[in-house]
Every structure is written in structure tokens, then in C-alpha cells.
Amino acid sequence: MQKYRMLRDAVASGMPTVFLEEAPHTTDGVLALAHHPHYIHRVTSGALSSSEQKAIGFPWSLEMVERSRRSAGATIAACRAAIAEGTAVNLAGGTHHAHADRGEGFCVFNDAAIAARLMQAERRVSRVAIVDLDVHQGNGTASILANDDSVFTLSLHGENNYPFEKAVSDLDVALPDETDDESYLEQLASSLAQMFSRFDPQLIIYLAGADPHEGDRLGRLKLSMEGLAARDRMVLDAAQARGLPVALAMAGGYGRRIDDTVAVHRQTVSIAASYCGVRLETA
């Protein structure tokens, strides 16, 4: 997508203190930590049906497969770097509508679920919180991790937005249309407090969607640039206060002006960079 190239260019030209690194390829075995082997095979071999491709939202190609593998690989790399350095960012990712056995909503493989499981398999951490602040509910993430007490899923999302049949996260907060900065930040503060009262994470994977922005075509919420900056700082402050590493993924953004979406994502990266040295993984 064009926004990812534009974001990478903006970061590369305007943030000299950050380090850009190419995203690694993700193997079938790692993908299978969150996805059924039969689904992985059908994606890789081009055996998806036309209805499955329609649900994903774009046609199958070898480039689509490789990009999906590297998008997951970038979140994995961001998690490893965050554990070592404090904060790291995937300039793409946040593919939270991908289920164990299918993709949908422009999501093929669920990078957050895969990365959480791999960090546990590598014995880097035991408990992971996925804080999903994309405007759309992370139904695939919630479904994959539904019976996993070692991963906490938190989703703040539009009540009347896609997906119209929601899954059940560990903590879901459904927001009405037109939610503004003040109401959103109140709900986020309460949600983070609830999460930390119920769960003691060792790593946070933060999906910092740009689509709650007031200029988003699909968002239906009314957050300003300032409100989104306060959102990002609230998550990062909460993590910093507890000494927790944070791996960020950019997730969705569908601005009426693509420059607005890129500006939201760039702001998130800039804020993350202010907390510590940041490694940026590019799919």
C-alpha cells in the first residue's frame, strides 16, 4: 500500500536518530504458532478460493505472500528489539483480522498473535498484552488467543464499525460514533487500569491504528492529531512506569487524504522514538 512507502520515506528522511532494518521472512513453522498448517499451505501455494481472496480484500500473488510473511516478521523483530532496547516499531503490521484458518479485512497472517507466541516459545517472556487501538475490533486476535491465559487482549474500537460480528477479547470497549478526544482518553485510561489490575504483562504489543482520526474515511470517530498523540503517550507512559518493553505496529488508516494517515503514523513513530532508542522494522 502506498501509505507504507510514504511512511518509510518520511521516517528515513526526517528521523536521523532512528535505525531502519529490513523485515525478516517468517517460516511456515513460525506462522503455525497462530495459524492452521492447511491455511498456511493454501496461502503459500495459491490455493485460496475466490471467496477467500474476496474476504481478504486483495488477489493472491507471490508478492502478497512474501509481504504477509515479512509483515509478521517485522513485528517479531520489533518484539525482540523492544525486549532488548525498550521500544521498537513495525512500520506496517497490525493485521488483527486474520484468524487461525482464514484471512479477512486486508489481513492474511496475524502478526501480533504470531509474535506473542514466538516470544513465549523463545522464552523471552511468559506473559504478553496486546493493546489494540485500531478503530476496528481485533476479532482475529481475540479468536486465536481466546483460550490462552498467558496473552491478554484489549481492544478499543468503534461499536458500529467492522467487523459487524465481534469476537470476544479479554477486555472490549465499544465506542459510539463521533467519540472525541476527551471521551476516548477517559475510556483508554480506564481500560489500561483494568488491564493492569487483571494481568501482569512482561511485553506489550501495541497496535497504534491511525483510523480513529477525524479525517479517516472508515473510522467514524473524531480524534484529533493531538488526541492521538495523547493516546500514544498514555500507552507508552503506562508501559514505562512499569518497566515494560513495547513493540508497536501501525495497523489501519484510511484517510480521506493519504497524507493525513501518514502524518498520524509518523507522529506515532516520533513519539515512540522520544521514549528510548527505537529500531524500525520495515515490511
Side-chain angles (χ1 to χ4, degrees):
M1 293 174 64
Q2 185 182 3
K3 74 166 186 176
Y4 298 120
R5 176 185 56 78
M6 293 173 64
L7 175 60
R8 189 188 191 286
D9 290 347
V11 171
S13 63
M15 297 186 190
T17 61
V18 302
F19 176 75
L20 284 163
E21 184 172 289
E22 183 177 350
H25 175 93
T26 306
T27 67
D28 287 1
V30 171
L31 295 175
L33 292 170
H35 293 284
H36 295 174
H38 183 56
Y39 172 63
I40 298 167
H41 173 72
R42 287 188 295 114
V43 171
T44 302
S45 64
L48 294 173
S49 68
S50 58
S51 62
E52 288 175 311
Q53 293 180 58
K54 183 177 180 180
I56 289 171
F58 40 73
W60 182 91
S61 68
L62 288 173
E63 292 77 14
M64 178 272 277
V65 176
E66 185 62 17
R67 188 187 185 286
S68 298
R69 288 183 183 274
R70 289 185 181 272
S71 185
T75 297
I76 290 167
C79 286
R80 289 172 176 154
I83 291 167
E85 302 172 22
T87 309
V89 180
N90 176 0
L91 294 181
T95 48
H96 59 167
H97 299 309
H99 291 67
D101 61 350
R102 68 186 188 278
E104 62 184 41
F106 307 113
C107 302
V108 179
F109 299 127
N110 194 305
D111 61 305
I114 293 164
R117 290 258 173 90
L118 185 60
M119 294 307 100
Q120 294 171 329
E122 292 178 345
R123 300 185 182 278
R124 297 175 188 266
V125 296
S126 299
R127 300 177 306 279
V128 182
I130 299 175
V131 176
D132 190 340
L133 302 187
D134 187 282
V135 81
H136 305 105
Q137 195 220 25
N139 58 332
T141 309
S143 175
I144 290 169
L145 300 169
N147 298 311
D148 189 342
D149 292 338
S150 69
V151 182
F152 191 98
T153 53
L154 164 61
S155 178
L156 266 70
H157 52 264
E159 180 179 18
N160 300 313
N161 216 319
Y162 179 92
F164 302 109
E165 291 187 11
K166 308 290 195 287
V168 179
S169 308
D170 291 301
L171 179 56
D172 283 303
V173 180
L175 303 170
D177 292 356
E178 310 293 320
T179 294
D180 61 10
D181 292 349
E182 182 179 1
S183 298
Y184 187 97
L185 294 170
E186 287 177 358
Q187 291 282 2
L188 177 57
S190 174
S191 300
L192 290 172
Q194 288 184 60
M195 182 184 77
F196 287 119
S197 72
R198 295 168 51 187
F199 190 74
D200 183 23
Q202 296 167 308
L203 166 69
I204 292 176
I205 300 175
Y206 170 32
L207 277 59
D211 41 15
H213 184 245
E214 59 191 350
D216 197 89
R217 291 181 292 110
L218 305 180
R220 304 175 72 152
L221 303 187
K222 293 295 181 183
L223 271 68
S224 67
M225 289 292 289
E226 294 77 16
L228 288 163
R231 174 200 69 168
D232 294 340
R233 292 192 184 99
M234 187 178 292
V235 174
L236 290 164
D237 284 345
Q240 187 177 67
R242 294 165 175 82
L244 298 175
V246 182
L248 293 84
M250 294 296 95
Y254 315 93
R256 296 180 184 90
R257 296 179 63 253
I258 192 169
D259 289 346
D260 291 341
T261 297
V262 174
V264 174
H265 286 320
R266 187 188 184 284
Q267 175 177 263
T268 293
V269 174
S270 179
I271 289 169
S274 72
Y275 278 74
C276 71
V278 173
R279 184 182 301 270
L280 302 178
E281 313 295 341
T282 61

